[in-house]
Amino acid sequence: MSTTDARRPPIVKVVFASLIGTAVEWYDFFLYGSAAALVFGTLFFPESDPVTGTLLAFGTYALGFVARPLGGVVFGHFGDRLGRKRMLVVSLMLMGLATVAIGLLPTYATIGIAAPILLLTCRLLQGFAVGGEWGGAVLMAAEHGDDARRGFWSSWPQAGVALGNLLATGVLWVLALVQSEEAFQAWGWRIPFLLSAVLVLVGLWVRLTIEESPVFQQAQAQLALKKGTHQPLLEVIRRYPREVLIAMGMRLAENISYYLITVISITYLTTFAGTSADKGMILSALLLGSAIQFVIIPLIGGLSDRIGRRPLYLAGAAGVAIWSFFFFDLIGSRSESLIILAVVVGLFLHALMYAPQAAFFSELFGTSVRYTGASVGYQLASILAGALAPIIALRLLGDVADPNTTAVAVYMTVASVLTIVAVLAAKETARTSLRHDRTLDDPEPSHDELPVNNPSR
C-alpha cells in the first residue's frame, strides 16, 4: 500500500462531504426554477400576461445555464491545477451569496427595470458557481473510491442533486400549506432563499474537513516532472474532443427530461391544466418523487458496477421518450394519484441515466484534465438541454386553452435518440482504473481510443 493510500480518509466521509455540498448548491439552483414557475413572472415582469411573464422568468432562469460552462472551465482549470477541494469551497460560497441576494432583492414594483437586471445578475452568479460544483464533487467521490464500487460511491453526489431539489420543493410545499397566496407573493417566497445561508455554512464546515483526492495528487506529482505549463482546457480540446461530444450527447435526454418533470410540470398544471390552487398538489408529487429518487440513485449506481453503465443509461433514455407521451395527460388529469405516478415514474427513468453518469463521465477523461473535461462536457450540454427545455416546452405547448402536449413528447423523443447514439458511441467503462492520462502518456494515444484501457492498479 502506498503512503498516499494509507493516509486516504474514509470514503464515507468524503462522499458525505460531496453529498451535503452538492445538495446545498442544487437547493439554491432548483429553488430559482420553482420560483420562476410560481412567482417571478408577476413580481419581476408584471407588465406581461401570465404566460409571457413566465417565459421571461424562464429566460433569466436559462441564462444561469449559459454561465455554467464558463464556471466549468474556470473551476475545472484551477481544480486540475490546484486541487478539487479548494474549488469546491469557493463554488459553495459563491452560490450561497448569490442565492441569499435573490432573497433580498426589491421587486419591479419597488425599483422598476433594475429589479429583473439584478435578478439576472444573481442568476448568472448561480450558474457560474454550479458550473464548477458538479465536476469537483463527483471527482472527489470517484477518485477516493475503488474501481469495483465507483458507480455506487460517485452516485451519492448525484443523489445530492435530488436531495437539493427535495429541500427546495419541501420548503415551498410547507409555505404553500401555511401561507395564503397573497402572503407568499408578498414576502413568503423570500424565506427559502434566505435559508440558504444556514445550509451553506453547514456545507462549508463539512467540506473543509476532507482531504484532497489521492489520484489527483499522484497526477500532480507526475506533471511536476514534465516541462511546460499545464493548460487543462487546451489538453481537453487536443486529446479528448470525442469524449466531450459523447458526454454532451449523453446529457441531452437526462437534462431535458429532468426539467420537464420538475419545472414545466408546475407551470403546466397551474397555468395550462388548472389553477394556482393546484400548486400544492404538484409540489407534493415532486416532493415524494425527489425523496424516492434520492433513495434509488445510489442503488442504481451500485447496479451499474455490476451490469455496466451503458445498459442502464440506454434504458433510461428510451424510457423517458416513451413516458413523455403519457406524462402531461397524467398531470392534466388533476388527480393527485395520477400526478404522483407521472412524477415518480419520470424521475425513476431519469435516475437510470443520472445515477451512473458521474462515474461514466469521470472514466472518460485523464486525471490531469478530468475536472475540466467532465465539467465542460456536462455544462455545455446544459445550454442546449436544461436551459432551453422550459422555454421550448412552453412554446410547443402553445395555447393555454388547447396545449400541444404531443409536440413536447416528440421534442423529448428526439433528445432521447441523440442520447442513445452517444451512449452507443461510448465504450463500457465500469470497473476500469482512473489512473490513466493521455497528457502524461507517451506516446500520445489515438483519439479513437477511450482512456479506460490503461489500468495501473
Side-chain angles (χ1 to χ4, degrees):
M1 180 183 293
S2 69
T3 303
T4 300
D5 290 337
R7 289 194 303 241
R8 178 159 53 190
I11 182 64
V12 173
K13 180 180 179 181
V14 174
V15 168
F16 180 69
S18 294
L19 169 68
I20 294 299
T22 301
V24 172
E25 290 236 22
W26 286 93
Y27 164 86
D28 293 348
F29 200 74
F30 286 139
L31 188 59
Y32 190 102
S34 296
L38 294 171
V39 298
F40 281 176
T42 56
L43 293 177
F44 290 90
F45 306 96
E47 296 183 354
S48 305
D49 64 82
V51 174
T52 302
T54 303
L55 272 171
L56 291 171
F58 279 143
T60 63
Y61 165 83
L63 285 172
F65 286 82
V66 175
R68 282 170 62 171
L70 179 60
V73 169
V74 173
F75 281 94
H77 173 83
F78 289 104
D80 282 327
R81 295 190 64 179
L82 303 177
R84 285 62 163 123
K85 175 182 173 178
R86 295 182 188 179
M87 295 302 104
L88 286 175
V89 170
V90 174
S91 70
L92 187 57
M93 291 178 62
L94 184 59
M95 174 63 87
L97 290 172
T99 305
V100 171
I102 291 174
L104 298 173
L105 284 181
T107 63
Y108 189 95
T110 304
I111 60 172
I113 192 64
I117 292 175
L118 290 173
L119 181 67
L120 171 60
T121 302
C122 291
R123 183 56 177 175
L124 289 173
L125 288 176
Q126 278 192 323
F128 183 78
V130 85
E133 158 67 22
W134 181 85
V138 300
L139 293 191
M140 285 294 280
E143 292 179 347
H144 275 92
D146 58 276
D147 297 339
R149 294 180 294 172
R150 184 179 305 119
F152 173 72
W153 292 122
S154 59
S155 69
W156 278 100
Q158 304 290 77
V161 178
L163 180 58
N165 196 25
L166 176 63
L167 291 172
T169 305
V171 172
L172 289 171
W173 179 73
V174 170
L175 291 175
L177 285 180
V178 302
Q179 282 190 316
S180 66
E181 186 69 23
E182 293 74 20
F184 183 78
Q185 289 275 346
W187 57 270
W189 67 271
R190 298 181 184 274
I191 295 175
F193 290 93
L194 298 177
L195 284 176
S196 175
V198 178
L199 298 175
V200 167
L201 290 176
V202 173
L204 284 175
W205 175 73
V206 173
R207 281 194 168 171
L208 288 170
T209 63
I210 61 173
E211 297 179 18
E212 185 55 79
S213 155
V215 176
F216 166 76
Q217 290 176 326
Q218 183 185 60
Q220 192 177 44
Q222 291 178 269
L223 280 171
L225 300 176
K226 295 175 72 69
K227 296 180 180 179
T229 302
H230 179 42
Q231 299 292 341
L233 180 59
L234 295 180
E235 291 296 327
V236 167
I237 294 171
R238 287 179 54 216
R239 300 172 187 268
Y240 295 95
R242 182 170 180 265
E243 288 75 13
V244 170
L245 292 175
I246 286 174
M248 290 178 64
M250 290 172 65
R251 279 278 282 161
L252 293 177
E254 174 268 308
N255 206 218
I256 290 173
S257 65
Y258 192 78
Y259 289 101
L260 290 182
I261 296 166
T262 61
V263 176
I264 288 301
S265 61
I266 300 176
T267 302
Y268 182 72
L269 181 58
T270 59
T271 303
F272 288 84
T275 68
S276 60
D278 294 316
K279 178 177 64 178
M281 191 182 299
I282 186 63
L283 289 176
S284 297
L286 289 170
L287 191 65
L288 178 61
S290 296
I292 293 173
Q293 191 179 43
F294 173 69
V295 173
I296 65 173
I297 281 178
L299 299 178
I300 296 173
L303 183 61
S304 77
D305 289 323
R306 298 175 63 87
I307 69 174
R309 325 289 189 215
R310 295 171 82 223
L312 295 172
Y313 219 109
L314 290 170
V320 294
I322 296 170
W323 191 243
S324 64
F325 285 92
F326 303 94
F327 180 77
F328 288 102
D329 286 340
L330 294 172
I331 295 291
S333 70
R334 300 178 68 182
S335 163
E336 187 171 12
S337 59
L338 292 180
I339 291 172
I340 290 174
L341 176 67
V343 171
V344 169
V345 172
L347 288 178
F348 170 76
L349 294 170
H350 171 264
L352 290 176
M353 295 179 282
Y354 202 57
Q357 186 181 86
F360 213 153
F361 284 18
S362 298
E363 291 155 347
L364 290 176
F365 299 93
T367 304
S368 67
V369 298
R370 185 169 290 129
Y371 200 148
T372 302
S375 296
V376 168
Y378 185 94
Q379 304 300 354
L380 277 177
S382 296
I383 299 177
L384 301 174
L388 297 178
I391 297 173
I392 292 175
L394 281 178
R395 284 298 188 189
L396 291 175
L397 285 171
D399 187 4
V400 173
D402 186 26
N404 187 354
T405 58
T406 301
V408 181
V410 171
Y411 166 53
M412 184 68 253
T413 301
V414 171
S416 293
V417 169
L418 293 174
T419 289
I420 289 171
V421 171
V423 176
L424 293 176
K427 294 182 180 179
E428 182 57 68
T429 61
R431 296 177 296 280
T432 57
S433 174
L434 285 184
R435 298 180 187 272
H436 60 78
D437 202 320
R438 294 178 187 172
T439 301
L440 300 176
D441 288 344
D442 187 23
E444 179 178 331
S446 166
H447 284 311
D448 293 331
E449 300 175 11
L450 282 175
V452 298
N453 300 317
N454 183 26
S456 60
R457 60 170 177 163

